[in-house]
Amino acid sequence: MAQARYDDVRTGRVAFEGGRRVYSSGAGIAVRLIHECFLGLRRARATLTIDPAIPPELDGLRADVELAGRRVGVLYRCAGRHRAGGVAVSMTAIADRVVPEDNELVIALD
């Protein structure tokens, strides 16, 4: 996913995330729904909110995503039916921990 970009306010340009083509098309909207709602990975400029809606039947689901400019394998562990609230993680903390290859984030939904 593209990083937020900021341009000079005097030119009439404003901050945006991604691009019009990606998020205003049917396919782009579907990808964003899967990424943000189902996988529960919502990125903001300074934080990553993790709040998935994965059913227990999909325990062990793995998704490869980009976080802090690096590829990260996200593994979902879904033990029970109760869904606790999400968590926000600093993007700086993520960037400090990812390496060029073989990153894994395990999300345990107990």
XYZ file of all heavy atoms in Angstrom:
831
model
N 0.854 -1.162 0.000
C 0.000 0.000 0.000
C 0.905 1.230 0.000
O 1.914 1.268 0.665
C -0.875 -0.026 1.240
C -1.841 1.108 1.289
S -2.925 1.029 2.714
C -4.040 -0.218 2.165
N 0.542 2.236 -0.713
C 1.337 3.454 -0.817
C 1.330 4.227 0.501
O 0.378 4.187 1.253
C 0.801 4.337 -1.930
N 2.412 4.903 0.757
C 2.513 5.756 1.942
C 1.741 7.047 1.702
O 1.543 7.465 0.576
C 3.984 6.102 2.216
C 4.819 4.900 2.586
C 4.431 4.350 3.930
O 4.145 5.101 4.852
N 4.391 3.039 4.043
N 1.318 7.680 2.783
C 0.647 8.971 2.662
C 1.638 9.993 2.113
O 2.802 9.981 2.466
C 0.111 9.416 4.010
N 1.163 10.858 1.259
C 2.026 11.884 0.674
C 1.464 13.250 1.024
O 0.263 13.453 1.034
C 2.087 11.725 -0.834
C 2.689 10.418 -1.232
C 2.784 10.309 -2.731
N 3.182 8.957 -3.046
C 2.888 8.342 -4.158
N 2.210 8.954 -5.090
N 3.283 7.117 -4.372
N 2.356 14.180 1.269
C 1.944 15.526 1.632
C 2.596 16.517 0.691
O 3.785 16.473 0.454
C 2.341 15.834 3.082
C 1.598 14.948 4.039
C 2.105 13.717 4.402
C 0.358 15.320 4.529
C 1.400 12.889 5.249
C -0.353 14.496 5.377
C 0.175 13.286 5.733
O -0.539 12.464 6.570
N 1.807 17.384 0.121
C 2.309 18.403 -0.790
C 2.017 19.779 -0.209
O 1.328 19.917 0.780
C 1.660 18.257 -2.169
C 2.116 16.973 -2.850
O 3.327 16.717 -2.878
O 1.249 16.231 -3.327
N 2.499 20.796 -0.866
C 2.332 22.175 -0.431
C 0.859 22.566 -0.442
O 0.182 22.480 -1.458
C 3.129 23.086 -1.368
C 3.222 24.504 -0.864
O 2.369 24.914 -0.054
O 4.154 25.195 -1.285
N 0.347 22.998 0.698
C -1.060 23.384 0.826
C -1.386 24.555 -0.079
O -2.497 24.660 -0.598
C -1.384 23.722 2.302
C -2.820 24.148 2.447
C -1.079 22.539 3.186
N -0.431 25.427 -0.331
C -0.675 26.603 -1.165
C -1.036 26.238 -2.597
O -1.676 26.995 -3.296
C 0.552 27.516 -1.165
C 0.802 28.144 0.206
C 2.122 28.827 0.234
N 3.122 27.758 0.159
C 4.427 27.925 0.104
N 4.917 29.130 0.071
N 5.258 26.916 0.064
N -0.648 25.049 -3.044
C -0.950 24.630 -4.421
C -2.315 23.956 -4.518
O -2.747 23.607 -5.606
C 0.115 23.655 -4.946
O 0.055 22.461 -4.176
C 1.500 24.267 -4.909
N -2.975 23.764 -3.372
C -4.274 23.098 -3.379
C -4.159 21.597 -3.262
O -5.145 20.881 -3.314
N -2.962 21.092 -3.069
C -2.765 19.648 -2.918
C -2.919 19.282 -1.452
O -2.494 20.012 -0.569
C -1.381 19.247 -3.403
C -1.215 19.490 -4.875
C 0.150 19.108 -5.311
N 0.309 19.406 -6.722
C 1.470 19.415 -7.328
N 2.564 19.157 -6.663
N 1.534 19.685 -8.608
N -3.515 18.147 -1.216
C -3.745 17.705 0.160
C -3.182 16.305 0.358
O -2.890 15.596 -0.596
C -5.251 17.716 0.518
C -5.805 19.127 0.503
C -6.025 16.822 -0.422
N -3.083 15.892 1.622
C -2.554 14.567 1.952
C -3.499 13.491 1.440
O -4.706 13.659 1.433
C -2.392 14.452 3.458
N -2.944 12.387 0.995
C -3.769 11.254 0.584
C -3.002 9.981 0.844
O -1.796 9.979 0.995
C -4.151 11.352 -0.897
C -3.004 11.133 -1.841
C -2.749 9.875 -2.364
C -2.176 12.182 -2.212
C -1.688 9.676 -3.230
C -1.117 11.994 -3.080
C -0.878 10.732 -3.591
N -3.726 8.885 0.905
C -3.111 7.575 1.052
C -3.455 6.782 -0.194
O -4.615 6.649 -0.559
C -3.664 6.869 2.281
C -3.062 5.511 2.501
C -3.626 4.840 3.722
O -4.157 5.533 4.596
O -3.559 3.611 3.764
N -2.447 6.239 -0.867
C -2.701 5.466 -2.074
C -3.010 6.364 -3.239
O -2.475 7.440 -3.372
N -3.897 5.942 -4.074
C -4.252 6.713 -5.250
C -5.686 6.463 -5.650
O -6.288 5.473 -5.262
N -6.233 7.349 -6.443
C -7.633 7.253 -6.840
C -7.926 5.946 -7.571
O -8.923 5.292 -7.328
C -7.991 8.438 -7.728
C -9.473 8.515 -8.016
C -9.795 9.696 -8.861
N -9.533 9.473 -10.265
C -10.314 8.772 -11.078
N -11.383 8.211 -10.624
N -10.012 8.625 -12.336
N -7.043 5.537 -8.442
C -7.271 4.317 -9.198
C -7.412 3.091 -8.307
O -8.221 2.236 -8.555
C -6.093 4.075 -10.142
C -6.424 4.334 -11.528
C -5.318 3.879 -12.412
N -5.249 4.851 -13.470
C -4.231 5.039 -14.236
N -3.152 4.332 -14.078
N -4.264 5.938 -15.175
N -6.577 2.995 -7.288
C -6.579 1.815 -6.423
C -7.825 1.758 -5.563
O -8.447 0.719 -5.438
C -5.320 1.798 -5.532
C -5.384 0.651 -4.536
C -4.082 1.688 -6.384
N -8.224 2.871 -4.954
C -9.271 2.811 -3.945
C -10.657 3.208 -4.411
O -11.612 3.056 -3.697
C -8.855 3.656 -2.743
C -7.614 3.088 -2.129
C -6.437 3.810 -2.146
C -7.615 1.820 -1.591
C -5.286 3.284 -1.624
C -6.453 1.287 -1.066
C -5.300 2.009 -1.073
O -4.160 1.487 -0.560
N -10.805 3.716 -5.625
C -12.141 4.077 -6.067
C -12.706 3.068 -7.060
O -13.847 3.165 -7.449
C -12.147 5.482 -6.674
O -11.351 5.507 -7.845
N -11.914 2.079 -7.442
C -12.423 1.045 -8.335
C -13.054 -0.068 -7.506
O -12.772 -0.226 -6.324
C -11.277 0.472 -9.179
O -10.414 -0.292 -8.350
N -13.900 -0.854 -8.140
C -14.527 -1.971 -7.434
C -13.498 -2.926 -6.864
O -13.586 -3.342 -5.706
N -12.499 -3.290 -7.660
C -11.463 -4.210 -7.192
C -10.649 -3.591 -6.059
O -10.313 -4.256 -5.080
C -10.549 -4.602 -8.346
N -10.333 -2.309 -6.186
C -9.569 -1.631 -5.140
C -10.331 -1.565 -3.835
O -9.767 -1.750 -2.753
N -11.631 -1.321 -3.925
C -12.459 -1.281 -2.721
C -12.509 -2.661 -2.087
O -12.399 -2.802 -0.859
C -13.868 -0.757 -3.050
C -13.782 0.724 -3.440
C -14.818 -0.956 -1.877
C -15.048 1.283 -4.048
N -12.642 -3.709 -2.892
C -12.677 -5.076 -2.368
C -11.369 -5.422 -1.671
O -11.371 -5.995 -0.569
C -12.961 -6.063 -3.496
N -10.244 -5.068 -2.276
C -8.937 -5.337 -1.656
C -8.816 -4.604 -0.327
O -8.369 -5.162 0.667
C -7.786 -4.943 -2.611
C -6.452 -4.927 -1.896
C -7.750 -5.890 -3.801
N -9.249 -3.368 -0.306
C -9.161 -2.592 0.935
C -10.066 -3.181 2.021
O -9.684 -3.250 3.185
C -9.522 -1.132 0.679
C -9.199 -0.259 1.863
C -9.207 1.189 1.503
N -8.620 1.942 2.590
C -8.221 3.170 2.497
N -8.332 3.813 1.361
N -7.717 3.791 3.530
N -11.261 -3.628 1.667
C -12.154 -4.265 2.643
C -11.530 -5.531 3.219
O -11.590 -5.770 4.425
C -13.507 -4.582 2.015
C -14.450 -3.410 1.823
C -15.670 -3.840 1.013
C -14.870 -2.816 3.152
N -10.943 -6.346 2.360
C -10.293 -7.571 2.839
C -9.132 -7.222 3.757
O -8.980 -7.786 4.836
C -9.821 -8.437 1.653
C -11.032 -9.010 0.930
C -8.888 -9.547 2.126
C -10.714 -9.630 -0.412
N -8.308 -6.290 3.334
C -7.121 -5.917 4.096
C -7.468 -5.266 5.429
O -6.942 -5.637 6.473
C -6.258 -4.977 3.248
C -4.860 -4.876 3.711
N -4.431 -3.903 4.558
C -3.780 -5.648 3.449
C -3.154 -4.065 4.804
N -2.730 -5.116 4.143
N -8.380 -4.308 5.402
C -8.668 -3.536 6.614
C -9.719 -4.177 7.512
O -9.611 -4.109 8.732
C -9.086 -2.119 6.250
C -7.952 -1.322 5.647
C -8.310 0.120 5.391
O -9.456 0.527 5.646
O -7.420 0.853 4.924
N -10.760 -4.771 6.937
C -11.840 -5.322 7.761
C -11.593 -6.777 8.131
O -11.619 -7.142 9.303
C -13.178 -5.175 7.047
S -13.633 -3.451 6.765
N -11.372 -7.627 7.145
C -11.189 -9.049 7.405
C -9.844 -9.323 8.072
O -9.783 -9.893 9.159
C -11.326 -9.836 6.100
C -11.149 -11.316 6.258
C -12.067 -12.061 6.984
C -10.079 -11.963 5.684
C -11.905 -13.423 7.140
C -9.911 -13.323 5.826
C -10.829 -14.066 6.550
N -8.743 -8.901 7.429
C -7.412 -9.112 8.017
C -7.158 -8.160 9.180
O -6.280 -8.404 10.003
C -6.323 -8.952 6.957
C -6.365 -9.958 5.807
C -5.287 -9.631 4.789
C -6.247 -11.376 6.308
N -7.898 -7.066 9.245
C -7.800 -6.141 10.362
C -6.519 -5.339 10.417
O -6.060 -4.972 11.486
N -5.925 -5.035 9.280
C -4.674 -4.272 9.239
C -4.958 -2.901 8.644
O -5.003 -2.728 7.427
C -3.623 -5.020 8.409
C -3.282 -6.420 8.909
C -2.365 -7.125 7.924
C -2.661 -6.359 10.296
N -5.171 -1.913 9.511
C -5.466 -0.546 9.074
C -4.263 0.344 9.373
O -3.864 0.504 10.520
C -6.708 -0.027 9.786
C -7.973 -0.673 9.267
C -9.214 -0.045 9.850
N -9.310 -0.174 11.296
C -9.746 -1.270 11.934
N -10.112 -2.319 11.250
N -9.811 -1.289 13.245
N -3.708 0.901 8.310
C -2.523 1.746 8.454
C -2.888 3.208 8.466
O -3.693 3.662 7.668
C -1.583 1.500 7.296
C -0.869 0.197 7.422
C -0.107 -0.042 6.178
N -0.650 -1.277 5.656
C -0.101 -1.984 4.723
N 0.965 -1.573 4.129
N -0.640 -3.108 4.343
N -2.259 3.920 9.347
C -2.305 5.380 9.361
C -0.857 5.843 9.247
O 0.057 5.028 9.209
C -2.956 5.882 10.644
N -0.671 7.125 9.222
C 0.687 7.647 9.060
C 1.619 7.162 10.155
O 2.738 6.756 9.878
C 0.646 9.170 9.035
C 1.954 9.800 8.685
C 1.811 11.269 8.406
N 0.836 11.914 9.259
C 1.036 13.035 9.911
N 2.184 13.655 9.790
N 0.109 13.561 10.656
N 1.148 7.154 11.414
C 2.030 6.828 12.534
C 1.709 5.506 13.217
O 2.475 5.058 14.066
C 1.979 7.951 13.572
N 0.590 4.870 12.873
C 0.214 3.643 13.580
C -0.333 2.579 12.638
O -0.816 2.870 11.555
C -0.883 3.901 14.648
O -2.023 4.452 13.994
C -0.406 4.818 15.745
N -0.252 1.349 13.113
C -0.905 0.220 12.476
C -1.919 -0.284 13.492
O -1.551 -0.651 14.607
C 0.096 -0.893 12.153
C -0.520 -2.217 11.701
C -1.165 -2.061 10.326
C 0.519 -3.318 11.697
N -3.199 -0.271 13.126
C -4.234 -0.814 14.002
C -4.488 -2.244 13.567
O -4.704 -2.518 12.387
C -5.531 0.010 13.911
O -5.234 1.347 14.305
C -6.608 -0.553 14.818
N -4.432 -3.153 14.542
C -4.647 -4.574 14.278
C -5.948 -4.966 14.960
O -6.053 -4.941 16.189
C -3.475 -5.421 14.818
C -2.160 -4.947 14.195
C -3.715 -6.900 14.557
C -0.920 -5.553 14.829
N -6.960 -5.319 14.163
C -8.280 -5.661 14.697
C -8.996 -6.573 13.692
O -9.964 -6.166 13.052
C -9.082 -4.387 14.961
C -10.352 -4.644 15.753
O -10.485 -5.732 16.352
O -11.218 -3.763 15.761
N -8.518 -7.820 13.534
C -9.082 -8.712 12.516
C -10.438 -9.293 12.888
O -10.818 -9.312 14.054
C -8.034 -9.824 12.415
C -7.387 -9.835 13.748
C -7.398 -8.412 14.240
N -11.136 -9.781 11.873
C -12.421 -10.457 12.049
C -12.304 -11.851 11.431
O -13.023 -12.198 10.506
C -13.530 -9.657 11.395
N -11.364 -12.637 11.930
C -11.077 -13.964 11.391
C -11.815 -15.009 12.223
O -11.647 -15.059 13.440
C -9.555 -14.258 11.449
C -8.743 -13.142 10.820
C -9.233 -15.623 10.850
C -8.693 -13.119 9.344
N -12.623 -15.877 11.613
C -13.322 -16.915 12.377
C -12.360 -18.039 12.787
O -11.335 -18.253 12.123
C -14.379 -17.427 11.393
C -13.816 -17.147 10.054
C -12.996 -15.899 10.200
N -12.668 -18.768 13.868
C -11.794 -19.855 14.335
C -11.521 -20.912 13.263
O -10.472 -21.543 13.272
C -12.553 -20.456 15.509
C -13.483 -19.399 15.958
C -13.813 -18.585 14.739
N -12.457 -21.088 12.338
C -12.276 -22.084 11.283
C -11.087 -21.763 10.379
O -10.595 -22.632 9.665
C -13.555 -22.189 10.426
C -14.762 -22.708 11.180
C -15.462 -21.646 12.037
O -15.242 -20.436 11.824
O -16.228 -22.038 12.930
N -10.634 -20.514 10.386
C -9.496 -20.116 9.550
C -8.202 -20.006 10.351
O -7.265 -19.319 9.941
C -9.803 -18.807 8.825
C -10.903 -18.900 7.775
C -11.145 -17.556 7.117
C -10.572 -19.948 6.725
N -8.139 -20.694 11.489
C -6.909 -20.718 12.293
C -5.746 -21.163 11.399
O -5.858 -22.112 10.636
C -7.064 -21.699 13.456
C -5.816 -21.747 14.321
O -5.325 -20.676 14.717
O -5.322 -22.860 14.585
N -4.654 -20.425 11.466
C -3.489 -20.730 10.648
C -3.433 -19.958 9.337
O -2.486 -20.101 8.570
N -4.440 -19.112 9.084
C -4.442 -18.292 7.876
C -3.171 -17.453 7.835
O -2.729 -16.921 8.847
C -5.668 -17.369 7.872
C -5.744 -16.365 6.716
C -6.084 -17.091 5.419
C -6.767 -15.297 7.014
N -2.582 -17.344 6.664
C -1.370 -16.539 6.487
C -1.582 -15.590 5.320
O -2.102 -15.977 4.281
C -0.171 -17.439 6.225
C 1.118 -16.670 6.067
C 2.281 -17.613 5.799
N 3.431 -16.878 5.397
C 4.330 -16.354 6.219
N 4.188 -16.526 7.504
N 5.360 -15.681 5.767
N -1.181 -14.344 5.509
C -1.267 -13.328 4.460
C 0.072 -12.611 4.393
O 0.648 -12.256 5.421
C -2.383 -12.336 4.771
N 0.571 -12.399 3.202
C 1.797 -11.632 3.009
C 1.410 -10.193 2.705
O 0.653 -9.939 1.762
C 2.644 -12.204 1.879
C 3.251 -13.540 2.239
O 3.503 -13.786 3.433
O 3.491 -14.343 1.327
N 1.924 -9.253 3.506
C 1.619 -7.838 3.340
C 2.917 -7.035 3.409
O 3.969 -7.552 3.774
C 0.631 -7.335 4.428
C -0.673 -8.101 4.378
C 1.242 -7.433 5.814
N 2.803 -5.756 3.075
C 3.949 -4.859 3.208
C 3.721 -3.960 4.414
O 2.688 -3.317 4.540
C 4.109 -4.004 1.963
C 5.345 -3.112 2.035
C 5.477 -2.232 0.819
O 5.381 -2.746 -0.300
O 5.663 -1.015 1.009
N 4.702 -3.954 5.307
C 4.673 -3.081 6.480
C 6.022 -2.398 6.597
O 7.058 -3.066 6.537
C 4.394 -3.869 7.764
C 3.030 -4.536 7.886
C 2.969 -5.397 9.133
C 1.931 -3.497 7.898
N 6.016 -1.111 6.766
C 7.242 -0.324 6.915
C 8.214 -0.604 5.768
O 9.417 -0.687 5.961
C 7.894 -0.594 8.269
N 7.660 -0.766 4.561
C 8.500 -0.962 3.391
C 9.092 -2.348 3.245
O 9.937 -2.578 2.379
N 8.673 -3.291 4.063
C 9.195 -4.657 4.013
C 8.053 -5.658 3.907
O 6.958 -5.422 4.396
C 9.998 -4.984 5.275
C 11.155 -4.078 5.540
C 12.288 -4.381 4.609
N 13.441 -3.592 5.016
C 14.513 -3.484 4.302
N 14.607 -4.098 3.160
N 15.525 -2.757 4.714
N 8.323 -6.788 3.302
C 7.339 -7.859 3.206
C 7.270 -8.574 4.554
O 8.291 -8.940 5.132
C 7.742 -8.833 2.120
C 6.707 -9.875 1.855
C 7.167 -10.805 0.758
N 6.068 -11.622 0.361
C 5.825 -11.971 -0.869
N 6.602 -11.552 -1.831
N 4.799 -12.738 -1.148
N 6.042 -8.766 5.042
C 5.823 -9.410 6.336
C 4.744 -10.479 6.161
O 3.678 -10.208 5.621
C 5.362 -8.387 7.405
C 5.053 -9.076 8.727
C 6.419 -7.302 7.605
N 5.041 -11.684 6.612
C 4.049 -12.748 6.634
C 3.246 -12.612 7.922
O 3.818 -12.580 9.005
N 1.940 -12.500 7.795
C 1.077 -12.357 8.971
C 0.359 -13.684 9.174
O -0.333 -14.171 8.275
C 0.056 -11.212 8.798
C -0.807 -11.080 10.038
C 0.772 -9.901 8.500
N 0.559 -14.280 10.348
C -0.044 -15.559 10.688
C -1.118 -15.320 11.736
O -0.857 -14.678 12.752
C 1.019 -16.511 11.237
C 0.532 -17.867 11.733
C -0.052 -18.685 10.594
C 1.671 -18.606 12.405
N -2.316 -15.820 11.482
C -3.436 -15.629 12.401
C -3.684 -16.914 13.177
O -3.853 -17.983 12.587
C -4.711 -15.242 11.627
C -4.613 -13.880 11.003
C -4.061 -13.708 9.742
C -5.054 -12.751 11.684
C -3.964 -12.453 9.168
C -4.962 -11.488 11.116
C -4.417 -11.359 9.864
O -4.321 -10.108 9.289
N -3.701 -16.795 14.491
C -4.028 -17.900 15.396
C -5.365 -17.561 16.028
O -5.476 -16.581 16.768
C -2.946 -18.078 16.461
C -1.660 -18.586 15.900
C -1.901 -19.999 15.438
N -0.707 -20.568 14.840
C -0.749 -21.606 14.047
N -1.907 -22.162 13.748
N 0.342 -22.078 13.532
N -6.382 -18.348 15.721
C -7.750 -18.071 16.165
C -8.201 -19.187 17.106
O -8.718 -20.207 16.650
C -8.687 -17.985 14.969
S -8.073 -16.926 13.648
N -8.017 -19.002 18.398
C -8.307 -20.053 19.365
C -9.789 -20.177 19.705
O -10.305 -21.265 19.833
C -7.506 -19.824 20.643
N -10.475 -19.076 19.870
C -11.860 -19.154 20.313
C -12.773 -18.224 19.552
O -12.359 -17.527 18.633
N -14.011 -18.221 19.942
C -15.005 -17.384 19.264
C -15.069 -15.967 19.812
O -15.586 -15.078 19.172
C -16.384 -18.025 19.349
C -16.440 -19.315 18.591
C -17.841 -19.584 18.114
N -17.844 -20.723 17.229
C -17.708 -20.653 15.925
N -17.537 -19.495 15.351
N -17.736 -21.737 15.182
N -14.587 -15.737 21.021
C -14.625 -14.393 21.591
C -13.623 -13.508 20.868
O -12.498 -13.895 20.626
C -14.299 -14.438 23.087
C -14.262 -13.079 23.698
N -15.392 -12.327 23.892
C -13.218 -12.330 24.120
C -15.047 -11.174 24.441
N -13.738 -11.153 24.581
N -14.040 -12.322 20.518
C -13.176 -11.374 19.804
C -12.938 -10.164 20.684
O -13.845 -9.371 20.910
C -13.834 -10.957 18.500
C -12.966 -10.067 17.655
C -13.640 -9.898 16.289
N -12.901 -8.954 15.508
C -13.180 -7.655 15.459
N -14.172 -7.170 16.129
N -12.458 -6.853 14.725
N -11.723 -10.042 21.183
C -11.353 -8.884 22.004
C -11.128 -7.680 21.097
O -11.050 -7.806 19.880
C -10.085 -9.196 22.786
N -10.997 -6.511 21.696
C -10.732 -5.293 20.932
C -9.364 -5.320 20.290
O -8.507 -6.130 20.633
N -9.150 -4.416 19.354
C -7.893 -4.354 18.626
C -6.802 -3.633 19.395
O -6.978 -3.233 20.545
N -5.681 -3.470 18.731
C -4.524 -2.807 19.317
C -3.896 -1.912 18.254
O -3.942 -2.214 17.068
C -3.502 -3.851 19.838
C -2.952 -4.690 18.710
C -2.384 -3.193 20.608
N -3.328 -0.790 18.692
C -2.606 0.108 17.783
C -1.120 -0.001 18.088
O -0.714 0.053 19.247
C -3.078 1.542 17.953
N -0.332 -0.167 17.038
C 1.117 -0.312 17.170
C 1.778 0.818 16.400
O 1.377 1.132 15.274
C 1.590 -1.673 16.605
C 3.084 -1.833 16.747
C 0.854 -2.816 17.274
N 2.789 1.410 16.988
C 3.524 2.482 16.336
C 4.227 1.964 15.086
O 4.897 0.931 15.114
C 4.565 3.045 17.318
O 5.561 3.758 16.634
N 4.070 2.672 13.968
C 4.778 2.285 12.750
C 6.294 2.395 12.933
O 7.042 1.644 12.324
C 4.322 3.153 11.568
C 2.932 2.801 11.059
S 2.727 1.082 10.536
C 3.626 1.080 9.000
N 6.739 3.282 13.806
C 8.166 3.381 14.111
C 8.655 2.091 14.761
O 9.725 1.583 14.424
C 8.434 4.581 15.044
O 7.969 5.768 14.395
C 9.912 4.716 15.355
N 7.869 1.541 15.683
C 8.236 0.283 16.338
C 8.317 -0.849 15.318
O 9.206 -1.700 15.392
C 7.236 -0.054 17.438
N 7.401 -0.861 14.363
C 7.434 -1.888 13.317
C 8.666 -1.695 12.448
O 9.406 -2.642 12.177
C 6.147 -1.848 12.477
C 4.960 -2.291 13.347
C 6.274 -2.737 11.241
C 3.616 -2.084 12.708
N 8.902 -0.464 12.006
C 10.054 -0.180 11.141
C 11.370 -0.550 11.821
O 12.301 -1.013 11.159
C 10.061 1.289 10.742
N 11.444 -0.387 13.136
C 12.660 -0.723 13.880
C 12.906 -2.227 13.953
O 14.018 -2.657 14.243
C 12.591 -0.166 15.305
C 12.724 1.346 15.352
O 13.133 1.945 14.338
O 12.408 1.922 16.409
N 11.872 -3.036 13.700
C 11.991 -4.478 13.886
C 12.012 -5.300 12.600
O 12.407 -6.452 12.620
C 10.864 -4.974 14.783
C 11.065 -4.523 16.216
C 9.831 -4.785 17.067
N 10.034 -4.446 18.460
C 10.001 -3.225 18.966
N 9.785 -2.188 18.175
N 10.196 -3.011 20.246
N 11.561 -4.735 11.497
C 11.551 -5.516 10.262
C 12.931 -5.544 9.632
O 13.716 -4.617 9.774
C 10.494 -5.008 9.253
C 9.101 -5.252 9.759
C 10.716 -3.564 8.891
N 13.223 -6.650 8.979
C 14.504 -6.854 8.301
C 14.221 -7.073 6.818
O 13.063 -7.247 6.423
C 15.253 -8.061 8.921
C 15.628 -7.770 10.371
C 14.433 -9.335 8.832
N 15.241 -7.094 5.967
C 14.984 -7.240 4.531
C 14.185 -8.490 4.136
O 13.426 -8.463 3.189
C 16.380 -7.270 3.924
C 17.192 -6.457 4.876
C 16.638 -6.789 6.238
N 14.344 -9.609 4.864
C 13.640 -10.837 4.494
C 13.147 -11.586 5.736
O 13.652 -11.392 6.838
C 14.568 -11.756 3.705
C 14.986 -11.173 2.378
C 15.926 -12.089 1.633
O 16.039 -13.270 1.980
O 16.551 -11.611 0.687
N 12.188 -12.464 5.514
C 11.701 -13.399 6.535
C 11.119 -12.743 7.778
O 11.425 -13.123 8.907
C 12.803 -14.384 6.944
C 13.252 -15.241 5.773
O 12.401 -15.559 4.920
O 14.441 -15.571 5.711
N 10.260 -11.783 7.608
C 9.558 -11.158 8.721
C 8.254 -11.909 8.946
O 7.599 -12.333 7.989
C 9.225 -9.693 8.409
C 10.488 -8.859 8.298
O 11.154 -8.635 9.284
N 10.801 -8.430 7.090
N 7.895 -12.062 10.204
C 6.604 -12.695 10.520
C 5.972 -11.981 11.684
O 6.610 -11.667 12.677
C 6.788 -14.175 10.849
C 5.445 -14.868 11.090
C 5.568 -16.362 11.222
O 6.221 -16.823 12.174
O 5.001 -17.063 10.376
N 4.687 -11.730 11.554
C 3.868 -11.137 12.610
C 2.804 -12.173 12.930
O 2.055 -12.582 12.055
C 3.220 -9.839 12.126
C 2.169 -9.201 13.031
C 2.777 -8.773 14.347
C 1.520 -8.019 12.321
N 2.755 -12.629 14.184
C 1.754 -13.602 14.595
C 0.695 -12.859 15.384
O 1.001 -12.176 16.359
C 2.369 -14.728 15.453
C 1.282 -15.695 15.921
C 3.449 -15.461 14.675
N -0.561 -12.990 14.949
C -1.677 -12.353 15.624
C -2.495 -13.453 16.269
O -3.055 -14.301 15.587
C -2.531 -11.533 14.638
C -1.674 -10.430 14.012
C -3.761 -10.970 15.337
C -2.358 -9.649 12.922
N -2.516 -13.459 17.610
C -3.242 -14.486 18.352
C -4.564 -13.934 18.835
O -4.601 -12.958 19.583
C -2.402 -14.968 19.533
N -5.639 -14.525 18.379
C -6.982 -14.115 18.759
C -7.497 -15.146 19.771
O -7.973 -16.201 19.399
C -7.905 -14.066 17.536
C -7.413 -13.183 16.398
C -8.270 -13.391 15.166
C -7.407 -11.737 16.819
N -7.345 -14.846 21.040
C -7.751 -15.798 22.081
C -9.126 -15.512 22.588
O -9.576 -14.430 22.680
C -6.775 -15.741 23.248
C -5.389 -16.203 22.835
O -5.296 -17.070 21.950
O -4.410 -15.691 23.391
